[in-house]
Amino acid sequence: MGWLGLRFAAGVALVLGLSLACCHGDTDQRDVFAINSLYVALGTPSLPGWQAQDGDPCGAGWQGVGCVFSNITELKLPGANLGGELGDNLGFFSSIISIDLSGNHIGGLIPENLPATIRNFFLSGNQFTGPIPNGLASLSQLTDLSLDGNHLSGQIPDAFEPLGLLVNLNLGDNNLSGPLPPSMGKLPSLVTFNMQNNQITGTLDVLQDLPSLANLNVENNLLSGPVPPRLLTLPNFRNAGNPFNTTIIPSPPAPPTISPSPAPTSPDPSPGGDVPVPSRRSPGKPKQDTNAPPSKTTFFTAKRVIWIALAGLGIFVVIAVVMCVFMSKSCKKLQPVERLGKPPHSSPPNNAGGGIKYKESLLQQKNQSEQAPKTLLVGKEMHQRMDQKNEMDLEKGLPAAPVRTENHAVPRTGIDMKHPKQSLVPAPPDLQSRVVMSSKKDFILSVTCFTVAELQQYTRSFSQGNLIGRGTIGSVYRAKLPEGKVLAVKKLSNAATTKIDDEFLDLVSGISKLKHPNVVELVGYCAEYSQYLLAFEYYRNGTLYDALNLDDEIHSKLSWNLRIMIALGAAKALEYLHETCQPPIIHRNFKSANLLLDDKLIVSVSDCGLSSVMSQETQNQLSVNLSANGYGAPELETGSYTLQSDIYSFGVVMLELLTARKPYDRSRPRGEQFLVSWAISQLHDIDSLSRMVDPSLKGAYPSKSLSRFADIISLCLQPEPEFRPPMSEIVQNIMLLVQK
């Protein structure tokens, strides 16, 4: 019995352990709560994986649930024979983009509290009742809305003005009534609008100025009045089953004698001739009896017109005076801005013409705000937060927020690549914050802003087949764009970064300014749903590490001269980061796996500038990894990492090019596992040096060039950081090898 009791206790413990494990999965807990609530409101239908409490929808693969990382982004259950209601907790979905519950039997009201991130919302072919919720006004990212085939009633709410991205709207086959709301005339992106088989009244005038409208179905309603001419030109306009033109909407009577010219009559023939159309007489010349004496009414009317004319003239004069004063003051205010780039008694700095650029950027911002571009909400909030912080700091006399790099700060006005020691002309205090804000928004236009949904599509849902590699601060995926261009998308790990919400746009800004032939170029970024991704140029020939150790075809192409050119390109990239960028940028993770080769085997350095968002714990871990893999300088053991530490890692890479050995290879004998400790004593002995060289070169190298190459390696691998030469000196030494 004791043994049976023990087994029973163990079984209970196992069940409890599994239960607790199921309670906390990888899915965002807000999304778990929302989907649990939805499941209960639907009546707990038979859906594989779904449960009423807790669970891991993303990790366990619930039916119809799509995720990006730990967030539910898609809910697709069309025609799943679902009943019940939607409940009141849909708004708790934190990142959902698409909901498709069409073709079911779901009833009740459509809730007011809807997820603000939704873009595609399909509820057609159900049994929803009641009005369309006013909560639609909160769905600023909505592009497709289908509510057709339900039992919705009441008037269409005046809630469409914030829906500037709405493309397709389907409200057909319901019991909606009343006129179309004015806000429907403020949908610049609307292409298709279906509202057939309802009881909509009034006219279609509100739709006549929609610039993108191409498909309109208003059949079988109670619409009246003339059809606007603009709608008659639509490629697909269906309007049968409406009493158009059978009721003339009377126009308000015009004041007599104000308009001397007669208004032209508009022929509005009745379709069947059943309802007579009243004649329209010119209000400007009413029929009068010439023998009748002048009436008192005519006298007072003429007097009123004179007073109105005089009042109007007076108002016009006042407005003109005010405008002149305002314009003169505005010109005076703009003069300091125009002088920003050309101060007196000094040579023009890099920002010459700053006043013109500043005014152009203001116009661009104004146009962008009027056109309501498709921007990310997260990025917009970041801009507002950082701009507000700058303005507050400037009021206190503090400088604008810098871009943080390793032990340095880069001013947000830019990195001066050409004149490191040149001082920028400061903007006046009342303009400086706005210039910084303009600079920040101008850079956003220079790189592509992707959405998570787009990158999910381009990377095949971040599949393992598209995974290029994993690193300390994130994973890299291969992304293929619709036009065929291939990118490398790096997803930053939230666990490896710190304060990423505040610093991500600074990071993007800093990296986007790095322009060098041997530095991997930033193409775009994504900041959405607490996910932060960077898109870089893709290099088809992979990394130098792969070329030396894994890819025999490319390895065979690595001649001695080509290896020197690879070393030179990598050295120039570090020289650019260390000595051209001001303040200097420390790479902190320089290794052959971060040196990429293009189709011509020209090298480019990746991961430049990423150290600025690493947490201290991640920096420490990175130093441990560098040392464990044979790239770490001796000073890393004391927690110190400087520019000279990058130079040491560069020396290790040169040693890889020389020997085609890994910096750390546990498969080799103990004394040869760490490349530096094995090779350092042999660099100055010509016989030993010759035996170290990659055998695939088969002696095809000048011995003098080999000796000088080894001398450069030895200088870079000096144990004391102060004895390592700067990168500019290393570049000059390698260039001498090229000339030889």
Side-chain angles (χ1 to χ4, degrees):
M1 289 296 292
W3 174 249
L4 292 175
L6 184 61
R7 292 180 63 185
F8 178 77
V12 171
L14 179 61
V15 171
L16 288 175
L18 290 174
S19 300
L20 289 174
C22 292
C23 291
H24 301 285
D26 296 331
T27 309
D28 189 306
Q29 289 303 303
R30 294 170 296 177
D31 293 345
V32 173
F33 172 77
I35 200 168
N36 288 156
S37 301
L38 175 62
Y39 184 58
V40 172
L42 292 174
T44 62
S46 178
L47 293 172
W50 287 56
Q51 55 192 64
Q53 189 174 2
D54 299 318
D56 187 9
C58 292
W62 291 15
Q63 179 181 338
V65 176
C67 297
V68 173
F69 306 115
S70 60
N71 294 107
I72 296 177
T73 59
E74 191 176 70
L75 187 58
K76 286 192 173 182
L77 292 168
N81 199 30
L82 303 176
E85 300 180 354
L86 292 180
D88 297 320
N89 294 323
L90 283 183
F92 282 92
F93 282 107
S94 61
S95 306
I96 197 159
I97 295 174
S98 178
I99 294 178
D100 186 357
L101 298 175
S102 56
N104 286 287
H105 310 289
I106 307 172
L109 301 177
I110 299 176
E112 289 283 344
N113 186 19
L114 297 170
T117 57
I118 194 76
R119 295 181 185 174
N120 307 310
F121 198 20
F122 305 120
L123 299 178
S124 56
N126 280 281
Q127 299 176 12
F128 291 106
T129 59
I132 297 175
N134 286 295
L136 289 179
S138 64
L139 310 184
S140 59
Q141 300 186 47
L142 191 67
T143 60
D144 295 89
L145 177 63
S146 294
L147 303 179
D148 55 300
N150 285 283
H151 306 294
L152 300 174
S153 59
Q155 294 191 10
I156 301 174
D158 193 14
F160 290 84
E161 184 171 354
L163 311 186
L165 302 178
L166 187 63
V167 176
N168 301 307
L169 175 61
N170 196 339
L171 305 178
D173 301 293
N174 282 288
N175 297 316
L176 300 172
S177 59
L180 295 175
S183 60
M184 277 199 163
K186 300 177 181 179
L187 297 173
S189 303
L190 189 66
V191 175
T192 300
F193 179 28
N194 296 325
M195 63 173 197
Q196 72 278 2
N197 302 321
N198 280 283
Q199 301 175 37
I200 306 297
T201 59
T203 68
L204 294 175
D205 292 350
V206 72
L207 304 178
Q208 64 182 341
D209 294 325
L210 294 179
S212 304
L213 188 64
N215 308 299
L216 178 62
N217 188 345
V218 298
E219 290 182 334
N220 302 320
N221 280 279
L222 301 175
L223 297 166
S224 60
V227 177
R230 157 78 172 84
L231 301 183
L232 294 175
T233 64
L234 294 180
N236 185 14
F237 179 38
R238 302 174 62 179
N239 62 353
N242 287 279
F244 286 123
N245 296 329
T246 58
T247 303
I248 298 301
I249 302 175
S251 58
T257 71
I258 291 180
S259 177
S261 60
T265 58
S266 174
D268 282 335
S270 178
D274 298 330
V275 181
V277 181
S279 62
R280 300 182 181 178
R281 182 174 296 174
S282 171
K285 292 185 179 181
K287 187 176 181 179
Q288 297 179 353
D289 186 357
T290 56
N291 296 326
S295 65
K296 188 175 181 180
T297 304
T298 304
F299 171 76
F300 284 112
T301 300
K303 186 175 181 181
R304 186 184 306 158
V305 171
I306 293 173
W307 279 110
I308 290 174
L310 291 175
L313 181 61
I315 293 173
F316 174 78
V317 171
V318 171
I319 291 175
V321 172
V322 171
M323 288 182 65
C324 290
V325 173
F326 176 76
M327 290 175 65
S328 64
K329 290 184 177 181
S330 299
C331 292
K332 291 179 180 179
K333 288 182 179 179
L334 284 175
Q335 287 174 359
V337 183
E338 295 170 353
R339 290 195 297 265
L340 280 178
K342 199 172 183 179
H345 311 297
S346 66
S347 58
N350 285 348
N351 62 342
I356 297 175
K357 292 182 179 178
Y358 172 66
K359 288 187 284 185
E360 290 177 348
S361 67
L362 289 181
L363 291 175
Q364 291 176 358
Q365 294 173 27
K366 181 176 183 295
N367 293 335
Q368 292 169 3
S369 63
E370 290 174 351
Q371 295 172 2
K374 186 176 179 182
T375 56
L376 297 179
L377 183 61
V378 176
K380 182 177 180 182
E381 290 174 348
M382 284 183 181
H383 282 311
Q384 293 173 347
R385 181 165 63 251
M386 287 188 288
D387 293 337
Q388 290 171 0
K389 179 180 183 300
N390 277 341
E391 292 175 4
M392 290 178 8
D393 289 346
L394 288 164
E395 289 174 0
K396 298 175 185 176
L398 299 176
V403 177
R404 291 181 54 190
T405 58
E406 187 65 28
N407 300 328
H408 300 286
V410 181
R412 285 179 57 186
T413 49
I415 302 175
D416 188 358
M417 306 302 182
K418 297 181 180 179
H419 304 285
K421 299 181 180 179
Q422 181 180 7
S423 60
L424 297 175
V425 179
D430 61 327
L431 293 175
Q432 188 172 355
S433 64
R434 285 176 282 172
V435 172
V436 170
M437 179 179 66
S438 174
S439 174
K440 176 68 68 176
K441 292 184 179 178
D442 284 346
F443 110 81
I444 290 294
L445 301 177
S446 68
V447 293
T448 303
C449 180
F450 295 102
T451 66
V452 167
E454 289 172 336
L455 294 181
Q456 183 183 22
Q457 175 187 352
Y458 303 155
T459 60
R460 296 183 180 178
S461 299
F462 299 94
S463 65
Q464 288 296 315
N466 284 54
L467 180 65
I468 298 175
R470 299 185 188 275
T472 306
I473 63 173
S475 303
V476 182
Y477 297 86
R478 182 179 181 272
K480 186 173 183 180
L481 277 57
E483 63 270 22
K485 184 179 179 63
V486 180
L487 301 178
V489 176
K490 190 179 193 74
K491 190 263 176 181
L492 300 183
S493 169
N494 290 336
T497 53
T498 177
K499 297 181 181 177
I500 196 164
D501 283 339
D502 297 325
E503 297 182 357
F504 182 71
L505 288 184
D506 283 333
L507 172 70
V508 176
S509 178
I511 297 177
S512 70
K513 293 184 177 74
L514 299 179
K515 303 295 183 183
H516 189 274
N518 300 110
V519 172
V520 176
E521 182 180 357
L522 179 71
V523 177
Y525 73 101
C526 174
E528 202 174 28
Y529 314 133
S530 299
Q531 306 295 335
Y532 302 93
L533 303 98
L534 300 169
F536 295 96
E537 289 286 346
Y538 178 77
Y539 289 76
R540 300 183 185 278
N541 280 325
T543 68
L544 177 61
Y545 180 89
D546 295 337
L548 291 171
N549 301 286
L550 302 175
D551 194 324
D552 294 337
E553 181 181 355
I554 296 180
H555 192 164
S556 63
K557 298 177 182 178
L558 296 179
S559 64
W560 177 250
N561 287 334
L562 183 54
R563 297 182 194 218
I564 292 176
M565 294 304 299
I566 290 174
L568 180 60
K572 286 183 175 181
L574 275 184
E575 179 192 25
Y576 171 77
L577 297 176
H578 289 185
E579 302 178 26
T580 304
C581 296
Q582 292 297 322
I585 296 176
I586 301 178
H587 191 282
R588 191 173 265 278
N589 195 21
F590 194 88
K591 56 186 180 181
S592 59
N594 283 332
L595 303 184
L596 307 181
L597 302 174
D598 67 7
D599 295 338
K600 298 180 180 180
L601 298 181
I602 297 174
V603 70
S604 292
V605 181
S606 66
D607 282 10
C608 299
L610 293 183
S611 62
S612 62
V613 292
M614 292 183 191
S615 63
Q616 187 60 49
E617 181 181 356
T618 302
Q619 292 182 10
N620 295 338
Q621 184 60 47
L622 197 61
S623 297
V624 171
N625 293 343
L626 280 175
S627 297
N629 292 318
Y631 291 98
E635 63 268 19
L636 267 63
E637 296 180 0
T638 64
S640 173
Y641 197 108
T642 64
L643 296 172
Q644 285 70 30
S645 305
D646 277 349
I647 295 172
Y648 184 95
S649 298
F650 175 78
V652 178
V653 171
M654 287 190 67
L655 203 51
E656 289 181 84
L657 287 167
L658 175 67
T659 65
R661 288 194 177 203
K662 300 177 183 178
Y664 173 72
D665 189 351
R666 62 182 302 175
S667 67
R668 292 186 178 275
R670 183 177 297 273
E672 300 181 18
Q673 289 182 353
F674 282 96
L675 179 59
V676 172
S677 60
W678 169 74
I680 194 70
S681 61
Q682 307 179 59
L683 291 175
H684 300 293
D685 182 84
I686 190 62
D687 294 330
S688 299
L689 181 61
S690 299
R691 289 192 294 269
M692 288 169 50
V693 178
D694 181 4
S696 69
L697 289 174
K698 300 177 180 179
Y701 50 83
S703 58
K704 193 170 185 180
S705 177
L706 174 63
S707 178
R708 291 187 175 181
F709 195 86
D711 290 340
I712 298 171
I713 295 175
S714 181
L715 289 172
C716 294
L717 297 180
Q718 290 294 316
E720 296 80 11
E722 59 270 20
F723 292 133
R724 299 170 201 153
M727 287 308 304
S728 56
E729 182 178 326
I730 295 172
V731 168
Q732 293 300 320
N733 289 334
I734 298 177
M735 288 181 67
L736 292 175
L737 299 182
V738 176
Q739 293 172 1
K740 296 294 180 183

